[in-house]
Amino acid sequence: MASATSGFGLCLPLTSFLLILLLCVQSGGSQKKKENMLAEKVEQMMEWSSRRSVVRMNGDKFRRFVKAPPRNYSVIVMFTALQPQRQCSVCRQANEEYQVLANSWRYSSAFSNKLFFTVVDYDEGADVFQQLNMNSAPTFMHFPPKGKPKRADTFDLQRIGFASEQLAKWIADRTDVQIRVFRPPNYSGTIALALLVSLVGGLLYLRRNNLEFIYNKTGWAMAALCVVFAMTSGQMWNHIRGPPYAHKNPQNGQVSYIHGSSQAQFVAESHIILLLNAAITMGMVLLNEAATSKGDVGKRRILCLVGLGLVVFFFSFLLSIFRSKYHGYPYSFLIK
C-alpha cells in the first residue's frame, strides 16, 4: 500500500511537468505564429505603400490589416465617398489634402512601417461604414497599434478643417510621428498676380495722359469695401483652416451651407455672409443718397424705401444666421 501511494505521488509531479511543458510548447508555437502573421501583414502593407501612398481597402482588407490583431503599426483611415454619383465635393477636396499628406510621409527620410495611410470608399466598403455606425463622409480615424480607437482618434473635421497641416498635427499628437508637409508647386497664384500687374500696367499706360481716375474716391471706396467684406465674412479663416464648401448628409442628401456651431464655418457660409453684408451696405448707401441728394422728391422717396427694405430684410436674415450658430441668443427681427 505504501509503495502504491509513493508511486502515485511520483506521478503527480511528472504529470504536472509534462502539462507545463506542453503548454510552453503550444504557447511558443502560438507566439511564433503571431510573429509570422505580423511580419506578413507589415510586409504586405509596405508593398502596397511602395506602389501608392494611400492604400485602398475594401471590407475584407480593412478587417484583416486594420482591425484584427496582431498589429504593431498605426493606420490612418479616410472614410469617404469619391464616386461621381455620390456628388460629394467635400470628399474630393479632403482627398486632395490627404494625398498631399500621405505623399509627404511616403517620400520623407523618416518614412517607416510605423504608420500607413489608407482609404475606405463607401461604394467599396459599405459594410465597414455599417460596422462602425458611420453616417457621414469624409471622416478621418486613427487606429492605434494596440487597443481600440478612442474619441480623440477621430479627427474633428468640422471644427479644424481638413488641411494637410492640421491633419499632420493631429497625427503627431496621436502617434508621435512628425510629418513635414511638402506641397507640389502651384504657379496659379503667381500667374494670376502677373496677369493682374500686367492688366493694371497696361491700363495705366493707355491712360497715361489722363490719370484722374486714380483720384476717384468712389473707385477706392468700392475697392476698400470689397476687402472689408472679404475679411469680415471669414475668408482668412477659410484660407487658414481649409473647411469644406458645404456638408451633404449621406442619408437624406440634404446639403447644409451654414455650420451649426459657432466654432466653425463652411466656405459657402462665408460667401452668404459677404453677400448679406454687401446688401445691407447698399441699403445704407441708398438711404444716405435719398437724404443728401437734391433731386426729384419721388425718386428720393423710392431710394429711401428700397434702401430701408434692403437694410431691414437682409439684417434680419443675418441675425437669424447668428441665432442658428449661437444657440440661446434671444433676439430676432422679422426672420427667426
Side-chain angles (χ1 to χ4, degrees), residues 98-306:
Y98 192 59
Q99 292 287 344
V100 169
L101 180 61
N103 287 330
S104 299
W105 168 243
R106 172 65 184 84
Y107 297 106
S108 70
S109 58
F111 175 73
S112 67
N113 56 12
K114 293 182 178 180
L115 177 67
F116 296 101
F117 289 86
T118 65
V119 61
V120 177
D121 194 283
Y122 181 80
D123 291 280
E124 299 174 3
D127 53 335
V128 177
F129 279 73
Q130 295 174 0
Q131 181 183 354
L132 298 176
N133 295 322
M134 194 170 296
N135 55 13
S136 63
T139 299
F140 298 94
M141 287 187 65
H142 164 244
F143 290 84
K146 296 181 180 179
K148 296 181 179 180
K150 299 179 176 60
R151 184 176 181 180
D153 287 309
T154 299
F155 182 69
D156 192 351
L157 182 145
Q158 301 295 343
R159 184 177 65 86
I160 304 176
F162 48 71
S164 299
E165 290 77 9
Q166 298 298 329
L167 285 168
K169 183 178 179 181
W170 169 68
I171 291 173
D173 293 337
R174 306 310 304 164
T175 66
D176 293 329
V177 174
Q178 303 291 334
I179 304 177
R180 183 180 178 185
V181 177
F182 292 95
R183 294 184 177 275
N186 185 359
Y187 301 107
S188 58
T190 304
I191 294 174
L193 180 61
L195 290 175
L196 179 62
V197 172
S198 301
L199 180 62
V200 173
L203 181 62
L204 291 176
Y205 178 78
L206 294 174
R207 299 288 299 273
R208 60 186 181 278
N209 297 324
N210 183 12
L211 299 178
E212 293 181 1
F213 69 94
I214 296 179
Y215 304 99
N216 189 312
K217 295 181 180 180
T218 303
W220 285 109
M222 293 297 294
L225 280 175
C226 289
V227 175
V228 171
F229 291 152
M231 294 298 105
T232 56
S233 65
Q235 294 298 329
M236 186 58 66
W237 193 93
N238 293 340
H239 179 74
I240 296 173
R241 296 296 183 89
Y245 187 81
H247 175 70
K248 183 177 181 180
N249 191 320
Q251 292 184 334
N252 54 24
Q254 183 179 0
V255 180
S256 300
Y257 298 102
I258 305 296
H259 197 284
S261 170
S262 61
Q263 302 298 320
Q265 70 175 21
F266 298 130
V267 175
E269 180 179 335
S270 63
H271 294 167
I272 293 172
I273 299 301
L274 187 150
L275 293 175
L276 291 178
N277 287 336
I280 294 171
T281 303
M282 177 60 68
M284 296 299 295
V285 170
L286 293 178
L287 287 174
N288 179 72
E289 185 69 17
T292 57
S293 65
K294 298 180 180 180
D296 181 66
V297 176
K299 182 179 179 181
R300 291 170 60 188
R301 185 178 292 112
I302 293 174
L303 289 177
C304 180
L305 292 175
V306 172

Side-chain angles (χ1 to χ4, degrees), residues 16-33:
S16 301
F17 174 76
L18 291 175
L19 287 174
I20 294 173
L21 182 62
L22 180 60
L23 290 174
C24 290
V25 171
Q26 290 179 345
S27 177
S30 177
Q31 184 67 25
K32 189 67 175 179
K33 184 178 179 181

